Each structure stands twice: as structure tokens, then as C-alpha cells.
Amino acid sequence: MNTKLEQLYTIRAFDVDTKGKWRPSAILTRLQEIAEDHAIAVNAGRKELVEERGMAWMLTRLHLQMKQYPDLTDTIKVVTWPGKPTKLFFVRHSMFFSETGEELGRATSLWVLFNIRERFLCRTGDIGENYPYDLSHGRALPDPGKIKLPDEMQYMTTRTVAYSEVDMNGHLNNAKYADWICELFDISHLKKAYMDQFRINYIAEAYMGQKVDLYCKEIDGTWFVCGKTGNKTVFDASIQWK
């Protein structure tokens, strides 16, 4: 089986921000979609998992590091490959390159398999040979760890998960968390700053119509953000800007 997938992608108008640069949530969307494409290519896509075995992929942690942001109409190359799974986590590495081969960014994510019918996490061995990996490809970034939040996070706002933000399961789409986080910052900041490092832990699902309280705190140039519904944490994140 093919242990690496490469795709060309042209940056569209709906992918960019006010600077005409690739928007963070659009980057997360591309990471999500190429991961799905590779899963399909190795017989571990929706048909084989959801329809036949009642299991689904769930993204749990992500670390994104960007060196440069492509512009509207730029064509880039997106490359993805699996790392060696642990007992519970599937590891996926990805990189972005310009047309001239210059590195734009890289990401490493952790995924789990979830039994939809009985609602429990599956072990990685449950799909065995359908998750091929080749250690010679290396790693994009170290496996993302748990984000440790500072004390006394400041309440910022409450968001309600909207129809336009959910996936087919009625959950807030993984990429939309990046929009929520960016929108905590002033427009003047977003017009001049670029997200350098982005880390997120997806902890619980947020459903359409659900209210999520957002909290934020900055320490030594790193911004920490978390979302909560009551006492339950939905996500933790950290961002560094340049």
C-alpha cells in the first residue's frame, strides 16, 4: 500500500483572509481532507469504517507550524504520511511546499478510532494492516502532547455552534475552532499578524446550537485559549503569532 500521498492544491478565494493569505482554518480543512483521502486510498475510509464496521476517525490533537503563507491563486503541494501508531493513537504527518519546492509549513496530528454504536475508543490494532506506515519518511513534528493551561483564564465571549460550522454529524467542524480562536483577536492584530505555531487538543464534541464559553490568557508571547460548556472542557489551544 502507498504510505505517502501527495496532492497539488490551488489557493482559492474562500481559502484566504483579508491579507490574501491562506487562512488558518483553511489550512486545517486541507489537512483534514488529505487525511481522509489517504485513509480512503489505504482502505480505511468512511465506507470501510463507518458503513461496514461502525467506526469513525476522530482528530484529538494537532500541532501546526507555518514558515510562510501562500497567496491567493498560488499552487502548493501537500504531502501526508502516517507515523507509527501507539496502542490508542494514530499519528499523521503533513507538509506544505511551494511550486518551487520551498517548505511552507508542517503539521503532526493524532487521531483515534471511535466505535459509533457503542461509543468507546478502539485500539489501533483493530484496523491492523489497513494503516501502513514507513519510518523512513521521518516526522514532520514531534507527536502533539497535552496542553497545560495557565491558572485564572479570562472569560472572553460565548459562541453558539451554528449550522454553517458543523459537519455531517452535527459537531463543530475541526477547522472551525481556528476561526473561533482567531476571532478573539482584534481586527488590527489579524491584519498584520501571522499564526506561527498552533496547537489544539480536541477534548469533547460541541453540537449545533450548543453554547461554548471561551477563555484566554497570554503568557510570554503564547496565547492560551480554552472552550467550555459548563464544567466540561471542549478544547484547549495555544497560539504564537509573528
Side-chain angles (χ1 to χ4, degrees), residues 221-236:
T222 298
W223 293 86
F224 295 90
V225 180
C226 72
K228 293 180 176 291
T229 55
N231 294 323
K232 183 174 70 174
T233 299
V234 175
F235 74 93
D236 294 333

Side-chain angles (χ1 to χ4, degrees), residues 40-239:
I40 292 170
V42 298
N43 301 316
R46 175 172 294 274
K47 180 180 184 298
E48 292 82 6
L49 295 184
V50 177
E51 296 179 12
E52 297 178 6
R53 304 184 64 178
M55 298 188 296
W57 289 108
M58 289 180 59
L59 178 59
T60 61
R61 295 177 187 173
L62 171 75
H63 179 192
L64 170 68
Q65 179 184 85
M66 294 298 293
K67 291 185 176 183
Q68 297 183 56
Y69 281 80
D71 295 299
L72 175 65
T73 73
D74 282 356
T75 296
I76 64 172
K77 181 169 72 173
V78 187
V79 183
T80 190
W81 67 97
K84 184 178 181 179
T86 66
K87 288 184 178 181
L88 187 61
F89 293 112
F90 292 89
V91 184
R92 178 164 292 280
H93 303 287
S94 304
M95 295 184 69
F96 313 115
F97 299 92
S98 69
E99 282 189 289
T100 59
E102 188 174 9
E103 182 185 327
L104 302 174
R106 52 179 62 203
T108 295
S109 53
L110 298 183
W111 300 71
V112 294
L113 275 177
F114 187 71
N115 186 299
I116 303 171
R117 299 170 188 143
E118 300 182 35
R119 303 196 64 80
F120 63 84
L121 295 181
C122 308
R123 289 188 175 272
T124 54
D126 287 351
I127 62 170
E129 69 279 0
N130 286 346
Y131 190 82
Y133 65 91
D134 184 343
L135 295 180
S136 68
H137 297 323
R139 299 192 300 171
L141 293 169
D143 295 355
K146 184 178 180 180
I147 296 171
K148 181 175 174 56
L149 298 177
D151 297 329
E152 300 178 356
M153 301 276 285
Q154 179 184 356
Y155 168 77
M156 301 297 290
T157 189
T158 297
R159 298 286 298 251
T160 301
V161 181
Y163 164 80
S164 61
E165 298 173 321
V166 298
D167 57 25
M168 63 186 297
N169 299 312
H171 306 152
L172 181 62
N173 185 281
N174 295 327
K176 291 297 183 180
Y177 289 83
D179 284 334
W180 279 21
I181 291 167
C182 287
E183 288 163 4
L184 292 175
F185 295 85
D186 293 336
I187 294 175
S188 59
H189 172 85
L190 296 174
K191 284 183 176 180
K192 63 183 181 181
Y194 295 87
M195 192 178 285
D196 180 34
Q197 303 270 351
F198 176 73
R199 293 179 172 87
I200 185 166
N201 294 169
Y202 299 96
I203 299 169
E205 298 157 335
Y207 298 92
M208 184 165 60
Q210 189 171 27
K211 295 184 182 299
V212 181
D213 299 324
L214 300 181
Y215 299 82
C216 185
K217 188 172 185 177
E218 184 266 338
I219 296 180
D220 297 330
T222 298
W223 293 86
F224 295 90
V225 180
C226 72
K228 293 180 176 291
T229 55
N231 294 323
K232 183 174 70 174
T233 299
V234 175
F235 74 93
D236 294 333
S238 68
I239 312 97

